[in-house]
């Protein structure tokens, strides 16, 4: 149980275009989902927390107009990187959970490359 | 501010040996959880073990166990009979205020 999927697993896009990444909880309902960014050989950096039906809460320094997060249902959250630039190239990971025991279930990640 | 510190950037041991990864944390919360996550080369984050702060008994999951010292704010992970598949990045995380605070990670290499 507690499976989270992410799509796509890899995406290459041109500078200036937008990319959408989907995160789905497959066998449970997730009122809260998290989006992380991970640079090579580094830890996870929380970008934002999204709650179903409400606006996402962004961490300090994360541009909310650039990284659009939508959590329209209890099983789906999306991250859209708008007007992507090469510096947005990274590994993006979503997770779901954060209930009373704070445990999070992670998606397999998305490798974004902006050329 | 809540922090998690992993002071060992990289460790390597021979297969079948026992290895201990260290983690210290700081929080003023009374209710929190501590986690060890594993990230193998596939980069999928996998929960290794979880400890509730209010429990004195150390958590154990097969070959994985923790040494939770609440007063010292220490939460080390012991891997017994290490296997090649244990090679991965290991992250210690503090669960508090509905978020996870992450350590920098320890790269563990199991040598055949």
């Amino acid at each position: 149980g507690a499976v989270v999927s992410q799509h796509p697993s890899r995406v290459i896009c041109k500078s200036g275009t937008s990319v959408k990444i989907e995160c789905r909880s497959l066998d449970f309902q997730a009122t809260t989902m998290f989006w992380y960014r991970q640079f090579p050989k580094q830890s996870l950096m929380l970008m934002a927390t999204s709650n179903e039906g409400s606006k996402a809460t962004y961490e300090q320094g994360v541009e909310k107009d650039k990284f659009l997060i939508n959590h329209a249902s209890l099983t789906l959250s999306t991250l859209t990187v708008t007007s992507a630039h090469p510096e947005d190239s990274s590994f993006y990971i979503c997770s779901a959970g954060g209930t009373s025991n704070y445990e999070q279930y992670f998606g397999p990640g998305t490798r974004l490359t902006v050329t | 501010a809540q922090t998690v510190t992993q002071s060992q950037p990289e460790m390597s041991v021979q297969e079948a040996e026992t290895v201990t990864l260290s983690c210290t944390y700081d929080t003023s919360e009374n209710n929190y959880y501590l986690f060890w996550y594993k990230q193998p080369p596939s980069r999928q984050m996998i929960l290794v073990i979880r400890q509730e702060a209010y429990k004195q008994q150390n958590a154990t999951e097969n070959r994985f166990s923790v040494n939770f010292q609440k007063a010292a704010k220490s939460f080390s992970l012991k891997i017994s009979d290490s296997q090649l598949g244990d090679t991965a990045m290991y992250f210690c995380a503090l669960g508090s205020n509905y978020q996870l605070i992450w350590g920098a990670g320890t790269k563990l290499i199991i040598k055949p």
Side-chain angles (χ1 to χ4, degrees):
Chain A
V3 178
V4 176
S5 70
Q6 234 178 290
H7 178 80
S9 58
R10 288 174 177 257
V11 58
I12 301 172
C13 70
K14 293 187 176 180
S15 186
T17 62
S18 295
V19 173
K20 180 185 285 188
I21 303 170
E22 291 186 350
C23 178
R24 294 180 184 274
S25 56
L26 299 184
D27 51 2
F28 68 103
Q29 294 184 329
T31 55
T32 304
M33 288 186 171
F34 303 85
W35 287 95
Y36 295 90
R37 184 172 180 175
Q38 187 179 31
F39 292 103
K41 300 183 180 180
Q42 293 190 22
S43 188
L44 279 68
M45 181 187 78
L46 180 65
M47 298 175 66
T49 303
S50 73
N51 291 295
E52 185 266 338
S54 62
K55 290 184 178 180
T57 302
Y58 291 81
E59 295 299 301
Q60 192 172 7
V62 177
E63 298 176 61
K64 60 182 67 177
D65 294 331
K66 180 167 192 60
F67 298 100
L68 300 178
I69 292 172
N70 183 276
H71 192 164
S73 77
L74 288 171
T75 59
L76 174 65
S77 177
T78 60
L79 167 67
T80 301
V81 183
T82 63
S83 186
H85 291 285
E87 56 265 31
D88 299 324
S89 298
S90 192
F91 191 68
Y92 294 87
I93 306 174
C94 73
S95 71
T99 55
S100 59
N101 67 1
Y102 304 115
E103 184 172 343
Q104 296 180 17
Y105 307 98
F106 288 83
T110 296
R111 160 69 64 196
L112 170 64
T113 303
V114 185
T115 61
Chain B
Q2 300 179 104
T3 60
V4 176
T5 302
Q6 292 179 251
S7 58
Q8 304 151 312
E10 184 170 325
M11 298 183 71
S12 65
V13 297
Q14 293 293 138
E15 189 177 9
E17 289 184 347
T18 294
V19 60
T20 299
L21 309 183
S22 65
C23 172
T24 58
Y25 63 94
D26 191 21
T27 181
S28 58
E29 299 290 329
N30 289 321
N31 182 29
Y32 58 91
Y33 287 72
L34 293 160
F35 304 88
W36 279 97
Y37 279 90
K38 167 185 176 181
Q39 188 179 38
S42 68
R43 303 193 76 170
Q44 170 74 61
M45 296 292 287
I46 301 167
L47 177 66
V48 175
I49 201 164
R50 174 180 64 231
Q51 173 80 43
E52 294 89 335
Y54 62 86
K55 288 188 176 179
Q56 292 185 337
Q57 186 173 6
N58 289 323
T60 299
E61 288 288 341
N62 301 314
R63 298 183 295 109
F64 300 87
S65 61
V66 297
N67 183 1
F68 175 46
Q69 301 290 326
K70 190 172 183 178
K73 295 183 178 176
S74 171
F75 182 62
S76 61
L77 174 69
K78 185 172 83 171
I79 305 175
S80 304
D81 186 27
S82 58
Q83 301 175 358
L84 296 179
D86 296 333
T87 292
M89 283 290 293
Y90 286 81
F91 293 98
C92 178
L94 165 68
S96 177
N97 293 328
Y98 301 100
Q99 287 189 353
L100 290 178
I101 312 300
W102 296 88
T106 295
K107 183 177 181 180
L108 176 63
I109 299 171
I110 309 299
K111 297 179 288 186

